Amino acid sequence: MAPPARARSRAPARRSAEAELVLAGRAFVRGRLQPVEIGVDADGRLAAIGKSVAGARRHDVGERILIPAATDLHVHFREPGGSPEAETIPTGSVGAAIGGVSLVGEMPNTEPTTSTTDRLDEKADRVRGRSAVDVLLYAHPSSPGQVAALGRRAGGFKLYLSPTTGIDRVPSAGELPALLEALARVDLPVSVHAEEPLAFRAGAAPTDLVGWDAARPAASEAAAVMRALAAPAALRLHVAHVTTAAIGRTIRDRQVSFEVSPHHLLLSTESGRDPRAKVNPPLRSEAERAALWEEYRAGRAPMVASDHAPHPVATKELPFEAAPSGVPGVETLLPLLLARVAAAELPLPVLTATACDRPARHLGQPQGRLSPGHRANLLVVDFRRRQRLRGDRLHSACGWTPFEGREAVFPVEHWRDGVRIVDDGEYVGRLDGQVVRPEYAPGAVRGAPPVG
Ligand code: DOR
Ligand code: ZN
């Protein structure tokens, strides 16, 4: 019998000297800002980066700066189950695109939680044809037995160690080790919400941010982090929204990944009684905030993520005790931090490492760096175009921001796969973002990526 015909090997990649598109501007290359030309091939991948690149079409942004688009690995859109005023995949993802985010990691605490394969499939169906950016879907592993099946569909897992919005039941001390073992057998990123309810302070309902911080103190976060750090080394562990420099150092010393969030970097309990700034884990004191900022600015926090939690404004105008926890932020993540770069308070390479490169690598996505082969997901930034944030001008369905009046630098343009989706701050793309899952290089080290 004749051997089966060999599958025809794919045509070798075109090694054309000519790119399909050339973006000319300035970029940070080999440690300094310099004029560059970036060639994009017909597949929307970066083909060449140099002083001069030939191409069929040319787009010159002059003195403006080209940076990779960001990955926000922690957002909550509210589908399914959101109220009529709640965020949807179209509203949240257009906000993401305008803020320079080309990929979001979407969390499973929707109603119902994304904890079965059917619900994952249903959420993926909701993304198709309705999202301005790519979406990686996290699953909620309610029992070890479900993990393998969920892992064949999900882009990652989110593990809640304390109750929070949409999450009532969390694994007990007895249940957690088996869950972590099961998660370690699946090669997907696992983000942990680290608060330990046994260390919460019971008592009177807090009526302000200082009280909220006291009720869910940093000690409860540190205790939960220690539970998570007991996970097998093979687990791609990532601790979400770390609120203090000391907790960040503990995690970093164990070579585990973590994120910090703009609200913990820029806001503190000094926002007083404002229920809009109520969030889990809570804002900390001004001294803690300043120390966390210093840790971040110095490049000692691996990633930044928004924890975009777009509660409708009416619910945030309830008395403090009754208001839900969470703040919106996917659209303002990068613009707020670009404004700190413009003010010379944050090095641009720290921002691009923490918002673009490492989150994409952690989620196994070929983007986030100006490297040949990476997707041409790029932003054009003009640092002279600073503006003051206004909640009612943002694209989120919630229409408010805890950063009202803060300086921001929005990208002027956003290109996805070599196609312009934001022009002069307006969304001009199609709703054709894809559901993506991690693809780690064969033989790559499992576990958390190096944080250096
Ligand atoms: O404040 C929070 N809000 N913390 C969470 O863990 C969930 C989030 C939400 O979904 O509203
Ligand atoms: Zn969250």
Side-chain angles (χ1 to χ4, degrees):
M1 208 172 34
R6 289 248 320 264
R8 269 220 320 207
S9 63
R10 274 194 282 153
R14 261 199 309 151
R15 228 176 311 133
S16 66
E18 210 28 32
E20 198 64 23
L21 165 73
V22 174
L23 296 176
R26 291 191 297 152
F28 229 94
V29 181
R30 282 185 288 281
R32 71 187 179 86
L33 205 53
Q34 48 185 303
V36 292
E37 300 198 347
I38 300 178
V40 179
D41 71 16
D43 297 328
R45 300 268 173 160
L46 300 181
I49 294 151
K51 284 264 170 267
S52 164
V53 174
R57 277 186 304 138
R58 211 182 136 77
H59 181 68
D60 194 334
V61 301
E63 292 294 292
R64 290 172 174 172
I65 295 170
L66 292 155
I67 63 170
T71 290
D72 188 345
L73 75 170
H74 190 158
V75 309
H76 302 264
F77 295 159
R78 300 301 196 194
E79 292 190 46
S83 65
E85 315 78 60
E87 191 82 292
T88 62
I89 293 165
T91 56
S93 67
V94 166
I98 288 176
V101 169
S102 69
L103 167 64
V104 294
E106 207 275 335
M107 290 295 171
N109 60 332
T110 39
E111 177 52 53
T113 53
T114 321
S115 50
T116 68
T117 51
D118 285 353
R119 291 177 190 171
L120 264 170
D121 290 346
E122 196 240 346
K123 214 185 233 191
D125 281 343
R126 287 172 176 273
V127 171
R128 290 192 197 99
R130 296 176 67 236
S131 182
V133 299
D134 291 338
V135 180
L136 177 142
L137 296 173
Y138 291 95
H140 176 58
S142 9
S143 75
Q146 292 176 315
V147 166
L150 285 170
R152 285 191 283 276
R153 297 277 222 292
F157 285 97
K158 176 66 179 283
L159 185 58
Y160 289 91
L161 297 183
S162 81
T164 186
T165 312
I167 302 291
D168 301 324
R169 206 191 159 279
V170 296
S172 67
E175 290 165 336
L176 187 62
L179 198 51
L180 294 173
E181 290 283 343
L183 289 166
R185 286 194 290 272
V186 176
D187 198 15
L188 290 175
V190 178
S191 172
V192 177
H193 180 116
E195 290 186 283
E196 169 55 71
L198 295 174
F200 288 171
R201 212 181 59 185
T207 56
D208 62 13
L209 294 167
V210 171
W212 194 243
D213 173 27
R216 299 174 77 118
S220 68
E221 191 180 336
V225 163
M226 294 321 290
R227 288 179 74 192
L229 290 177
L235 192 88
R236 286 187 190 272
L237 180 63
H238 172 88
V239 181
H241 39 51
V242 164
T243 68
T244 77
I247 295 172
R249 278 195 290 272
T250 304
I251 301 169
R252 196 181 141 82
D253 286 350
R254 298 282 294 271
Q255 307 266 293
V256 165
S257 169
F258 67 95
E259 80 208 18
V260 292
S261 302
H263 45 280
H264 295 122
L265 289 172
L266 301 172
L267 305 173
S268 71
T269 52
E270 291 191 359
S271 294
R273 309 182 72 84
D274 187 354
R276 292 183 309 168
K278 182 179 176 187
V279 61
N280 296 334
L283 299 184
R284 305 299 183 198
S285 68
E286 179 55 26
E288 288 283 19
R289 183 209 64 76
L292 189 69
W293 173 262
E294 178 52 27
E295 203 70 1
Y296 176 66
R297 186 206 62 74
R300 292 193 291 266
M303 302 181 204
V304 65
S306 73
D307 192 10
H308 178 69
H311 291 285
V313 70
T315 65
K316 283 297 218 175
E317 282 165 356
L318 294 169
F320 192 92
E321 311 84 277
S325 289
V327 296
V330 67
E331 189 170 351
T332 53
L333 167 76
L334 204 61
L336 282 165
L337 295 172
L338 285 169
R340 295 304 92 214
V341 173
E345 293 170 13
L346 177 66
L348 183 59
V350 170
L351 176 55
T352 54
T354 55
C356 313
D357 180 17
R358 291 196 196 114
R361 267 200 283 161
H362 182 63
L363 299 183
Q365 300 302 312
Q367 64 176 75
R369 258 176 290 167
L370 300 181
S371 300
H374 269 212
R375 292 172 63 182
N377 293 352
L378 301 168
L379 306 175
V380 176
V381 176
D382 182 344
F383 284 106
R384 291 162 306 189
R385 282 225 207 168
R386 302 197 211 177
Q387 56 180 271
R388 300 247 167 226
L389 280 183
R390 280 188 45 180
D392 59 2
R393 298 233 176 109
L394 296 172
H395 295 77
S396 170
C398 74
W400 66 280
T401 170
F403 306 107
E404 188 74 26
R406 298 269 175 149
E407 268 198 345
V409 174
F410 282 85
V412 183
E413 296 175 16
H414 182 166
W415 294 70
R416 182 155 54 78
D417 297 322
V419 174
R420 187 159 28 171
I421 60 169
V422 173
D423 188 12
D424 204 12
E426 292 295 320
Y427 189 70
V428 297
R430 292 186 298 158
L431 297 183
D432 59 356
Q434 303 291 310
V435 176
V436 300
R437 302 184 67 234
E439 275 181 39
Y440 298 112
V445 184
R446 286 170 60 107
V451 293

